[in-house]
Amino acid sequence: MINIPKGTKDVLPSEVYLWQHVEKTARETAAGFGFREIRTPVFEHTELFLRGVGDTTDIVNKEMYTFLDKGGRSITLRPEGTAGVARAFLEGGLAGGVLPAKMYYLISAFRYERPQAGRLREFHQFGAELYGSASPYADAETIALADTFLKNLGLKAVTLKLNSIGCKHCRTEYHKALKEYFAPHLHEMCEDCRARYEKNPMRMIDCKEERCKVYTAHAPRMLDYLCNDCKAHFETVRELLDEAKIAYTIDPSIVRGLDYYSRTVFEFASAAAGAQGTVLGGGRYDTLLEQMGEKPIPAVGFAVGIERLLMVIAAENAPVPNEERPAVYLLGMDAQSRKKAYLLATQLRTENISCEVDLMERSVKAQFKYADKLGARFTVVIGESECAAGAAEVKDMKNSSSERVEFARLAQYIKERL
Ligand code: ATP
Ligand code: MG
């Protein structure tokens, strides 16, 4: 047998209802905030991610699934959703339409990573993007959408961490300060950090290596270098979250792993989300479109990993709806009754009543056992005498009662009791 590729997972029919629950909650919550779905291709030109995600990120440097197609073009499976949505926003002419443009997506994404709990090579995200507003209200609204989504899933122990990483102006000062601070320790830090020191010293702040953490823990904080505009922006975001009673902690160590962020950055974390702890990450990216060669349009967004979310749902024992059961199992006791059951099922389905019949030509006893396993609300029993009488024996499994019902009245009878 050929096995599943490393870092990927099947969702079997018995567990798919959990995914559908998360997806339904995502769609309903997004709709409540006026976000509409956008769908973009699974693969894009590699260039889009080089420019859109940024060439100092781990994603671009180490994790992309890139290949040449038969036409010799460099293609990459999307490692995240934002760059593709930005491209579609521009290409679809939405930049010239009504703003803000509020969009959400439910996608699979691909990163060549070392698989572990909560870290896969194909994973899934729910994400949201808000284009066109630089106002702190847009940040607060986006964070509120993320927060409401997690609350709608019944999660309680997921905490919001907030930071501001300023704009390109105040970050220049900050980078200078970081370089001064790290210079004497650089020879003791990891290779990645030495490269980051040259290209993007702020990225050193969230290095996961123990030998680097020793130094990053006491590094200068971006919050102390914010310019007046960025400071005021951040203060208003905080005020709006306070007023909406969305709890958060300020965490100066959050800088996010993508090059396009500016000002507000945030994460929702839970101890149950695997070694990394982060379930959802987001922030403002006012320079993304500019980086992609367009005029600057401010934007803010987030993405949440669905596999990690399911780990948190399980760990918190959050309520999930039961898997849907068929309403009716129709049981034929002999050849003639089996055909009657089959025909009645087709009729019931035209009335939107879900039902199943025997497809295995099982014995009566085995059919009763199967009906039990299915958990159908009604078992409709048809035998020789029922066929002759034109009526079935309907067992209501909820209260173990049983009643004779004419075939012609069956749909009505069931509908009244569902
Ligand atoms: P991490 O620090 O864990 O590597 P990240 O910063 O790379 O996360 P983002 O690019 O911000 O993650 O993606 C948003 C969310 O997508 C993450 O918070 C996580 O829930 C999920 N995610 C990212 N990479 C993976 C992966 N390889 N497997 C499963 N989920 C992932
Ligand atoms: Mg990562």
Side-chain angles (χ1 to χ4, degrees):
M1 199 189 79
I2 298 166
N3 295 325
I4 195 169
K6 198 172 164 185
T8 65
K9 265 192 181 158
D10 298 312
V11 181
L12 299 176
S14 59
E15 51 200 13
V16 81
Y17 74 102
L18 290 169
W19 284 75
Q20 289 168 342
H21 163 60
V22 170
E23 289 160 4
K24 185 165 178 261
T25 308
R27 291 182 190 287
E28 288 173 359
T29 311
F33 282 72
F35 283 63
R36 291 188 296 171
E37 187 179 1
I38 181 163
R39 301 188 186 195
T40 64
V42 168
F43 59 85
E44 299 272 0
H45 291 297
T46 301
E47 182 64 21
L48 178 75
F49 301 115
L50 298 185
R51 282 216 242 162
V53 176
D55 59 7
T56 72
T57 62
D58 279 354
I59 293 181
V60 166
N61 286 328
K62 302 178 189 163
E63 300 170 2
M64 294 211 300
Y65 274 91
T66 299
F67 60 95
L68 289 181
D69 73 3
K70 288 188 167 51
R73 300 169 200 91
S74 182
I75 294 291
T76 296
L77 302 184
R78 63 179 167 217
E80 52 94 64
T82 297
V85 170
R87 181 201 48 68
F89 171 78
L90 294 169
E91 210 164 346
L94 305 186
V98 180
L99 295 176
K102 295 181 285 181
M103 297 164 283
Y104 78 89
Y105 56 79
L106 280 157
I107 60 165
S108 52
F110 306 85
R111 296 184 194 176
Y112 195 79
E113 302 203 68
R114 203 164 57 77
Q116 51 192 287
R119 195 179 286 295
L120 292 144
R121 291 184 175 172
E122 183 195 26
F123 62 100
H124 298 79
Q125 288 185 333
F126 162 50
E129 317 274 356
L130 190 157
Y131 279 93
S133 171
S135 161
Y137 273 91
D139 306 57
E141 182 88 332
T142 306
I143 294 172
L145 168 56
D147 183 69
T148 307
F149 169 60
L150 298 171
K151 283 182 181 147
N152 286 348
L153 286 171
L155 300 179
K156 299 199 165 72
V158 184
T159 52
L160 169 59
K161 298 192 249 178
L162 191 67
N163 192 22
S164 174
I165 56 170
C167 61
K168 51 187 173 195
H169 305 299
C170 43
R171 211 174 308 147
T172 312
E173 281 305 302
Y174 179 55
H175 277 169
K176 248 194 251 163
L178 278 182
K179 282 187 140 179
E180 234 163 73
Y181 169 82
F182 281 123
H185 312 297
L186 205 54
H187 63 284
E188 288 169 77
M189 298 180 78
C190 74
E191 203 178 307
D192 282 348
C193 274
R194 273 177 269 159
R196 291 169 185 139
Y197 181 88
E198 297 304 331
K199 281 181 155 178
N200 192 352
M202 190 175 69
R203 175 129 310 125
M204 298 167 81
I205 298 289
D206 73 344
C207 184
K208 308 282 188 290
E209 297 264 339
E210 286 307 324
R211 58 180 161 152
C212 300
K213 280 188 186 168
V214 177
Y215 301 111
T216 54
H218 303 103
R221 301 157 17 129
M222 182 67 228
L223 286 179
D224 299 325
Y225 288 81
L226 293 181
C227 63
N228 286 340
D229 284 353
C230 287
K231 209 183 275 174
H233 193 275
F234 192 50
E235 267 161 26
T236 311
V237 173
R238 294 184 55 174
E239 191 187 307
L240 291 170
L241 293 179
D242 289 339
E243 298 215 10
K245 304 217 167 5
I246 297 172
Y248 59 84
T249 53
I250 302 291
D251 185 342
S253 73
I254 293 178
V255 295
R256 307 289 311 129
L258 307 172
D259 274 355
Y260 46 60
Y261 284 109
S262 55
R263 292 193 165 168
T264 316
V265 287
F266 58 93
E267 290 182 356
F268 283 83
S270 161
Q276 295 71 39
T278 309
V279 194
L280 182 152
R284 174 166 281 288
Y285 35 91
D286 291 346
T287 57
L288 172 64
L289 294 196
E290 207 177 350
Q291 243 165 268
M292 288 172 55
E294 296 295 321
K295 65 173 187 194
I297 296 177
V300 50
F302 69 80
V304 46
I306 298 188
E307 285 84 355
R308 288 190 200 171
L309 203 52
L310 289 170
M311 290 167 73
V312 180
I313 289 172
E316 283 201 27
N317 210 0
V320 288
N322 289 329
E323 191 176 2
E324 272 193 42
R325 307 283 185 181
V328 180
Y329 181 76
L330 294 118
L331 190 154
M333 299 177 79
D334 51 60
Q336 185 203 2
S337 313
R338 181 190 306 282
K339 193 174 268 174
K340 186 68 202 173
Y342 166 77
L343 290 174
L344 279 173
T346 58
Q347 278 171 25
L348 292 184
R349 289 181 191 130
T350 64
E351 306 263 355
N352 278 331
I353 297 169
S354 57
C355 42
E356 288 198 31
V357 291
D358 175 36
L359 303 175
M360 302 291 288
E361 310 216 7
R362 286 190 167 105
S363 70
V364 172
K365 192 173 155 211
Q367 284 194 63
F368 269 113
K369 233 171 148 182
Y370 178 72
D372 222 39
K373 247 191 222 146
L374 269 186
R377 166 76 189 276
F378 296 98
T379 305
V380 174
V381 183
I382 305 162
E384 213 175 314
S385 69
E386 282 80 11
C387 280
E393 198 63 28
V394 180
K395 292 179 188 298
D396 187 338
M397 308 315 257
K398 199 167 162 190
N399 47 24
S400 314
S401 65
S402 177
E403 211 174 326
R404 187 157 271 230
V405 182
E406 280 167 40
F407 293 152
R409 241 178 22 91
L410 197 54
Q412 191 59 32
Y413 178 89
I414 287 165
K415 270 192 188 164
E416 281 166 6
R417 284 160 183 80
L418 275 181

